[in-house]
Amino acid sequence: MTRFSTLVVATALSALVSQGVLAQQPAAPPAYAPTVGQAGKDVIWLPTQAWLIERMLDMAAVTPQDRLVDLGSGDGRTVIAAAKRGLRAHGIEYNADLVEHSRRSAQAEGVADRATFSQGDIFQSDFSDATVVTLFLLQALNERLRPTLLAMEPGTRVVSNTFTMGDWTPDDEVVGESGCTSFCRAYKWVIPAQAGGEWRLGEGRLALVQRYQMLTGTLTLDGRTMDITDGRMDGRRISFEAGGRRYQGEVREGRISGQVEGAAWSAERPG
């Protein structure tokens, strides 16, 4: 096409637009992008640093067999990082714009088949199928979630950026890289099985007092009552000392089975 012909076509198109015969297409709005510090339902949005996400996943010892749920998933970066390790990972986020942003990011990173997101309230959502739970919430919110977390399957790992669970002592903790000045720490808890109460060991008696994963109490054997020390739960695994002997075992369906100094021992709930 000659320069003269191009000019004629351009002039004709301009005239058609001005007469309304051809409508100008409005420019597409820019894609939504979150802003650090923007207000949310319960907390402002602050992204977890990439290196800390990796440390949190390491703390949880994630494997491709795990199902991770991130509560308050923000821009989806924790879910996406987990999906890149081969996990099925899901984020629950109240802000619908952040949910759509996360889905676009997962698609762009090539993990949309394993990284999924839903809009919802974390306090009204069912995430009981998770084997790993991650969160970056205030301590008050963590404590509010605590009863729900403690009711999950024993052995489920919970990892929190910066904020604790109140008087529930963490099982593990990592501190950030040198030079990190804020939000540089993570904590891990393992959901314990419920072992508190009375147990029978043949003619003996085991009385356990449980506070989260910690155990105290007494063991009565052959008419001798011994205090339990250094007792704790690690998921379904139980361990304690009594009378100078170390007891270890697993709690499952009203029974404890394990070893003490190479010999088998077991206990059952009465009744």
Side-chain angles (χ1 to χ4, degrees), residues 77-221:
R77 60 182 59 196
T78 299
V79 172
I80 290 170
K84 286 182 176 180
R85 293 193 181 201
L87 283 72
R88 291 181 303 119
H90 182 71
I92 303 172
E93 170 56 49
Y94 192 79
N95 184 313
D97 290 329
L98 281 171
V99 171
E100 289 305 315
H101 176 82
S102 299
R103 288 170 177 163
R104 289 194 299 270
S105 296
Q107 188 70 43
E109 295 287 346
V111 291
D113 59 330
R114 295 191 301 275
T116 59
F117 302 89
S118 62
Q119 190 279 328
D121 186 327
I122 59 174
F123 296 103
Q124 299 178 14
S125 299
D126 181 7
F127 49 90
S128 57
D129 63 338
T131 59
V132 177
V133 177
T134 54
L135 29 77
F136 185 10
L137 304 170
L138 298 175
Q139 179 175 313
L141 300 177
N142 286 358
E143 291 184 37
R144 186 176 163 193
L145 283 166
R146 193 169 60 192
T148 301
L149 295 171
L150 285 166
M152 296 182 72
E153 178 68 19
T156 300
R157 291 90 78 201
V158 179
V159 185
S160 171
N161 177 346
T162 301
F163 296 98
T164 67
M165 293 278 175
D167 63 353
W168 183 8
T169 303
D171 293 297
D172 196 8
E173 172 183 353
V174 296
V175 181
E177 298 177 338
S178 175
C180 184
T181 58
S182 60
F183 307 111
C184 309
R185 192 179 299 262
Y187 302 93
K188 182 186 82 170
W189 298 262
V190 179
I191 303 302
Q194 295 304 305
E198 299 286 329
W199 298 84
R200 285 201 314 256
L201 288 82
E203 297 299 318
R205 173 178 170 272
L206 177 64
L208 295 175
V209 177
Q210 181 171 358
R211 182 169 178 78
Y212 304 118
Q213 73 272 45
M214 303 302 184
L215 298 172
T216 57
T218 58
L219 174 63
T220 302
L221 289 175

